[in-house]
Amino acid sequence: QSWVSIFGQDEVGITSFGASFHDGAIYVFGGQAVPAQHYIREEVSQPLYRLPYAEGAEWEALPTKEPALGPALLSHSSGLIRIGGMQPQNDPDEEQNMISVPFVHRFDPATETWSELPDLPEGRSSHDAWIVGDKIYVAGGWKMRGVGESSRWSKYVDVLDLSESEPQWKRIPQPFFRRALAVAILGEELFCLGGLAKAGEASLEVD
């Protein structure tokens, strides 16, 4: 019950990233190095970072594919899987213009290459995801549609079975609107915890 810092003191801090532990290493994907709530296209963190979980290990910068803010990053037997996120489209001197992306990509650590999986049914950010066996579950979040367009709250849990020869996303109605939540699976039940409710208020609920 103690904390140990493993981040190097000379590294650049980032926020709003996805992270996962896979095959003996910590991976960090996406995010940004500028102050929170100040979004600029060129400031989205580009590499996929890896830190082998061993004494004296150092961070490595690996190839990336469509980096974003707030992507989900999951460990699977076939590699690391990134899901969705938000990409700012604006330059520093432009009005903030943010869109949610539908990208789902898999990274193979052995070859250090990315491959594409089926896109989400729609762009999704401020979501969370979990993987059980070969099934990916994505819940909560919304679709940001850029300047002048209102965001659409997600009303489905999306499920992708990677064991299928041609996997396709399936949708389960979601009986709530929530983003910035946490998702976990216990036994045969999916739990969605906390987050922001549609009215913009913090939620105390567990669904």
Side-chain angles (χ1 to χ4, degrees), residues 110-182:
T111 61
E112 296 188 357
T113 58
W114 290 90
S115 58
E116 296 184 1
L117 291 170
D119 282 351
L120 290 164
E122 59 184 347
R124 197 158 181 160
S125 59
S126 199
H127 58 296
D128 199 13
W130 199 270
I131 189 165
V132 178
D134 291 317
K135 287 187 176 181
I136 299 172
Y137 295 84
V138 183
W142 61 7
K143 180 182 180 181
M144 302 182 78
R145 300 189 296 158
V147 174
E149 298 289 340
S150 60
S151 298
R152 291 180 178 172
W153 290 70
S154 298
K155 56 182 179 180
Y156 297 99
V157 172
D158 290 328
V159 185
L160 185 71
D161 189 345
L162 296 173
S163 68
E164 297 178 349
S165 58
E166 296 184 4
Q168 297 293 325
W169 289 96
K170 298 177 175 60
R171 315 205 84 177
I172 301 171
Q174 181 179 275
F176 57 83
F177 293 103
R178 198 89 53 76
R179 69 178 185 88
L181 74 173

Side-chain angles (χ1 to χ4, degrees), residues 46-141:
Q46 296 297 319
L48 169 70
Y49 290 105
R50 175 171 61 196
L51 178 68
Y53 194 65
E55 186 174 354
E58 296 183 355
W59 287 96
E60 309 167 71
L62 303 171
T64 193
K65 189 175 180 68
E66 292 289 353
L69 304 179
L73 190 65
L74 304 176
S75 174
H76 181 253
S77 59
S78 64
L80 282 160
I81 299 173
R82 66 71 51 94
I83 302 168
M86 182 273 282
Q87 288 182 339
Q89 303 295 297
N90 53 283
D91 291 325
D93 58 347
E94 296 176 335
E95 181 181 359
Q96 289 195 352
N97 181 21
M98 298 168 288
I99 63 168
S100 301
V101 295
F103 307 131
V104 183
H105 300 139
R106 177 164 45 202
F107 180 77
D108 182 350
T111 61
E112 296 188 357
T113 58
W114 290 90
S115 58
E116 296 184 1
L117 291 170
D119 282 351
L120 290 164
E122 59 184 347
R124 197 158 181 160
S125 59
S126 199
H127 58 296
D128 199 13
W130 199 270
I131 189 165
V132 178
D134 291 317
K135 287 187 176 181
I136 299 172
Y137 295 84
V138 183

